[in-house]
PDB file of all heavy atoms in Angstrom:
ATOM      1  N   ARG B1330      -4.030  33.830  -1.800  1.00 84.00           N
ATOM      2  CA  ARG B1330      -3.479  34.444  -3.004  1.00 84.00           C
ATOM      3  C   ARG B1330      -2.247  35.254  -2.641  1.00 84.00           C
ATOM      4  O   ARG B1330      -2.263  36.022  -1.684  1.00 84.00           O
ATOM      5  CB  ARG B1330      -4.513  35.348  -3.671  1.00 84.00           C
ATOM      6  CG  ARG B1330      -4.041  35.934  -5.006  1.00 84.00           C
ATOM      7  CD  ARG B1330      -5.099  36.811  -5.640  1.00 84.00           C
ATOM      8  NE  ARG B1330      -5.338  38.022  -4.868  1.00 84.00           N
ATOM      9  CZ  ARG B1330      -6.177  38.994  -5.246  1.00 84.00           C
ATOM     10  NH1 ARG B1330      -6.868  38.849  -6.379  1.00 84.00           N
ATOM     11  NH2 ARG B1330      -6.344  40.058  -4.512  1.00 84.00           N
ATOM     12  N   GLY B1331      -1.181  35.056  -3.368  1.00 77.00           N
ATOM     13  CA  GLY B1331       0.039  35.794  -3.116  1.00 77.00           C
ATOM     14  C   GLY B1331       0.920  35.162  -2.063  1.00 77.00           C
ATOM     15  O   GLY B1331       2.042  35.611  -1.835  1.00 77.00           O
ATOM     16  N   GLY B1332       0.429  34.120  -1.414  1.00 70.00           N
ATOM     17  CA  GLY B1332       1.232  33.434  -0.417  1.00 70.00           C
ATOM     18  C   GLY B1332       2.054  32.329  -1.053  1.00 70.00           C
ATOM     19  O   GLY B1332       1.884  32.008  -2.225  1.00 70.00           O
ATOM     20  N   ALA B1333       2.908  31.725  -0.254  1.00 66.00           N
ATOM     21  CA  ALA B1333       3.703  30.606  -0.751  1.00 66.00           C
ATOM     22  C   ALA B1333       2.778  29.447  -1.110  1.00 66.00           C
ATOM     23  O   ALA B1333       1.887  29.098  -0.340  1.00 66.00           O
ATOM     24  CB  ALA B1333       4.700  30.162   0.306  1.00 66.00           C
ATOM     25  N   THR B1334       2.996  28.857  -2.264  1.00 63.00           N
ATOM     26  CA  THR B1334       2.104  27.788  -2.723  1.00 63.00           C
ATOM     27  C   THR B1334       2.302  26.494  -1.952  1.00 63.00           C
ATOM     28  O   THR B1334       1.604  25.530  -2.175  1.00 63.00           O
ATOM     29  CB  THR B1334       2.313  27.514  -4.214  1.00 63.00           C
ATOM     30  OG1 THR B1334       3.696  27.200  -4.433  1.00 63.00           O
ATOM     31  CG2 THR B1334       1.936  28.714  -5.049  1.00 63.00           C
ATOM     32  N   ASN B1335       3.307  26.485  -1.039  1.00 67.00           N
ATOM     33  CA  ASN B1335       3.507  25.274  -0.266  1.00 67.00           C
ATOM     34  C   ASN B1335       3.286  25.504   1.218  1.00 67.00           C
ATOM     35  O   ASN B1335       3.703  24.704   2.037  1.00 67.00           O
ATOM     36  CB  ASN B1335       4.920  24.735  -0.516  1.00 67.00           C
ATOM     37  CG  ASN B1335       5.983  25.796  -0.314  1.00 67.00           C
ATOM     38  OD1 ASN B1335       5.700  26.855   0.224  1.00 67.00           O
ATOM     39  ND2 ASN B1335       7.189  25.521  -0.744  1.00 67.00           N
ATOM     40  N   LYS B1336       2.652  26.603   1.616  1.00 81.00           N
ATOM     41  CA  LYS B1336       2.357  26.845   3.022  1.00 81.00           C
ATOM     42  C   LYS B1336       0.854  26.936   3.184  1.00 81.00           C
ATOM     43  O   LYS B1336       0.230  27.965   2.961  1.00 81.00           O
ATOM     44  CB  LYS B1336       3.049  28.125   3.500  1.00 81.00           C
ATOM     45  CG  LYS B1336       4.573  27.988   3.537  1.00 81.00           C
ATOM     46  CD  LYS B1336       5.229  29.177   4.234  1.00 81.00           C
ATOM     47  CE  LYS B1336       4.998  29.138   5.718  1.00 81.00           C
ATOM     48  NZ  LYS B1336       5.728  30.234   6.422  1.00 81.00           N
ATOM     49  N   LEU B1337       0.307  25.804   3.595  1.00 87.00           N
ATOM     50  CA  LEU B1337      -1.138  25.678   3.760  1.00 87.00           C
ATOM     51  C   LEU B1337      -1.550  26.292   5.095  1.00 87.00           C
ATOM     52  O   LEU B1337      -0.923  26.030   6.121  1.00 87.00           O
ATOM     53  CB  LEU B1337      -1.502  24.189   3.709  1.00 87.00           C
ATOM     54  CG  LEU B1337      -2.942  23.766   3.553  1.00 87.00           C
ATOM     55  CD1 LEU B1337      -3.537  24.347   2.295  1.00 87.00           C
ATOM     56  CD2 LEU B1337      -3.025  22.255   3.536  1.00 87.00           C
ATOM     57  N   ILE B1338      -2.604  27.099   5.074  1.00 90.00           N
ATOM     58  CA  ILE B1338      -3.135  27.710   6.287  1.00 90.00           C
ATOM     59  C   ILE B1338      -4.327  26.877   6.754  1.00 90.00           C
ATOM     60  O   ILE B1338      -5.212  26.557   5.953  1.00 90.00           O
ATOM     61  CB  ILE B1338      -3.600  29.158   6.025  1.00 90.00           C
ATOM     62  CG1 ILE B1338      -2.496  29.970   5.340  1.00 90.00           C
ATOM     63  CG2 ILE B1338      -4.053  29.816   7.318  1.00 90.00           C
ATOM     64  CD1 ILE B1338      -1.247  30.138   6.169  1.00 90.00           C
ATOM     65  N   PHE B1339      -4.360  26.521   8.048  1.00 91.00           N
ATOM     66  CA  PHE B1339      -5.424  25.684   8.591  1.00 91.00           C
ATOM     67  C   PHE B1339      -6.369  26.480   9.481  1.00 91.00           C
ATOM     68  O   PHE B1339      -5.947  27.395  10.189  1.00 91.00           O
ATOM     69  CB  PHE B1339      -4.847  24.531   9.419  1.00 91.00           C
ATOM     70  CG  PHE B1339      -4.320  23.400   8.586  1.00 91.00           C
ATOM     71  CD1 PHE B1339      -3.019  23.426   8.111  1.00 91.00           C
ATOM     72  CD2 PHE B1339      -5.130  22.321   8.272  1.00 91.00           C
ATOM     73  CE1 PHE B1339      -2.528  22.382   7.325  1.00 91.00           C
ATOM     74  CE2 PHE B1339      -4.650  21.282   7.492  1.00 91.00           C
ATOM     75  CZ  PHE B1339      -3.355  21.322   7.026  1.00 91.00           C
ATOM     76  N   GLY B1340      -7.651  26.107   9.454  1.00 92.00           N
ATOM     77  CA  GLY B1340      -8.603  26.608  10.428  1.00 92.00           C
ATOM     78  C   GLY B1340      -8.428  25.864  11.743  1.00 92.00           C
ATOM     79  O   GLY B1340      -7.651  24.908  11.830  1.00 92.00           O
ATOM     80  N   THR B1341      -9.167  26.293  12.770  1.00 90.00           N
ATOM     81  CA  THR B1341      -9.016  25.701  14.098  1.00 90.00           C
ATOM     82  C   THR B1341      -9.893  24.470  14.296  1.00 90.00           C
ATOM     83  O   THR B1341      -9.819  23.831  15.332  1.00 90.00           O
ATOM     84  CB  THR B1341      -9.340  26.723  15.191  1.00 90.00           C
ATOM     85  OG1 THR B1341     -10.611  27.301  14.901  1.00 90.00           O
ATOM     86  CG2 THR B1341      -8.282  27.808  15.238  1.00 90.00           C
ATOM     87  N   GLY B1342     -10.715  24.140  13.316  1.00 93.00           N
ATOM     88  CA  GLY B1342     -11.461  22.893  13.364  1.00 93.00           C
ATOM     89  C   GLY B1342     -12.870  23.019  13.924  1.00 93.00           C
ATOM     90  O   GLY B1342     -13.156  23.899  14.735  1.00 93.00           O
ATOM     91  N   THR B1343     -13.733  22.129  13.470  1.00 95.00           N
ATOM     92  CA  THR B1343     -15.093  21.988  13.993  1.00 95.00           C
ATOM     93  C   THR B1343     -15.252  20.570  14.499  1.00 95.00           C
ATOM     94  O   THR B1343     -15.094  19.616  13.736  1.00 95.00           O
ATOM     95  CB  THR B1343     -16.143  22.258  12.902  1.00 95.00           C
ATOM     96  OG1 THR B1343     -16.087  23.629  12.511  1.00 95.00           O
ATOM     97  CG2 THR B1343     -17.547  21.938  13.411  1.00 95.00           C
ATOM     98  N   LEU B1344     -15.520  20.441  15.785  1.00 95.00           N
ATOM     99  CA  LEU B1344     -15.732  19.125  16.386  1.00 95.00           C
ATOM    100  C   LEU B1344     -17.189  18.712  16.175  1.00 95.00           C
ATOM    101  O   LEU B1344     -18.106  19.425  16.582  1.00 95.00           O
ATOM    102  CB  LEU B1344     -15.409  19.169  17.879  1.00 95.00           C
ATOM    103  CG  LEU B1344     -15.765  17.908  18.680  1.00 95.00           C
ATOM    104  CD1 LEU B1344     -14.934  16.732  18.195  1.00 95.00           C
ATOM    105  CD2 LEU B1344     -15.574  18.142  20.160  1.00 95.00           C
ATOM    106  N   LEU B1345     -17.380  17.564  15.533  1.00 97.00           N
ATOM    107  CA  LEU B1345     -18.734  17.068  15.275  1.00 97.00           C
ATOM    108  C   LEU B1345     -18.989  15.812  16.101  1.00 97.00           C
ATOM    109  O   LEU B1345     -18.214  14.859  16.044  1.00 97.00           O
ATOM    110  CB  LEU B1345     -18.908  16.744  13.786  1.00 97.00           C
ATOM    111  CG  LEU B1345     -20.259  16.160  13.390  1.00 97.00           C
ATOM    112  CD1 LEU B1345     -21.383  17.157  13.662  1.00 97.00           C
ATOM    113  CD2 LEU B1345     -20.261  15.754  11.918  1.00 97.00           C
TER     114      LEU B1345
END
Side-chain angles (χ1 to χ4, degrees):
Chain B
R1330 185 179 67 177
T1334 56
N1335 51 12
K1336 292 190 72 175
L1337 193 58
I1338 308 297
F1339 282 87
T1341 51
T1343 293
L1344 172 64
L1345 178 63

